[in-house]
Amino acid sequence: MDLISPSNGLLSWQVGTAIVMMGYLAFMIYALVDLIRSDFREQHMKLIWVLLILSVPVVGTFLYLSMNRRIKYKLRRFNPDFSSHQTTTK
């Protein structure tokens, strides 16, 4: 009867696969949101990364997440302007 009704081992494989796929889907959504919100050095790079993430899902997602700091602008949050600083002398 094992051929007709699956045993508990098959159910655990299915649950495990579902958990792994949900985890990967979360990584893919994070990569796409980060891609949309970021600025790149070259304008066409955003389109290339979207196509790569969607056409080669596993490789494209983890490649983007590992290389994204090298291809994006390095934005500084704190950028003081010291050129207009005047010194007072007595």
Side-chain angles (χ1 to χ4, degrees):
M1 278 317 252
D2 283 337
L3 294 175
I4 296 172
S5 63
S7 63
N8 290 337
L10 181 62
L11 182 63
S12 65
W13 275 102
Q14 290 173 341
V15 170
T17 302
I19 290 171
V20 169
M21 291 304 293
M22 284 188 286
Y24 168 70
L25 186 63
F27 272 117
M28 188 173 178
I29 290 171
Y30 172 74
L32 287 172
V33 168
D34 183 56
L35 177 70
I36 291 169
R37 295 179 67 193
S38 60
D39 294 322
F40 290 89
R41 292 181 186 153
E42 299 174 14
Q43 194 68 7
H44 65 281
M45 291 300 292
K46 192 177 282 194
L47 176 64
I48 291 173
W49 278 111
V50 167
L51 291 175
L52 188 67
I53 289 172
L54 294 177
S55 64
V56 188
V58 176
V59 175
T61 300
F62 291 111
L63 191 66
Y64 172 75
L65 291 174
S66 66
M67 294 182 64
N68 66 358
R69 292 187 181 203
R70 286 181 251 166
I71 59 174
K72 289 194 244 179
Y73 279 123
K74 294 187 184 219
L75 300 175
R76 287 182 59 185
R77 300 275 185 229
F78 180 68
N79 194 5
D81 184 19
F82 293 113
S83 63
S84 64
H85 181 53
Q86 298 175 357
T87 59
T88 58
T89 58
K90 293 184 180 182

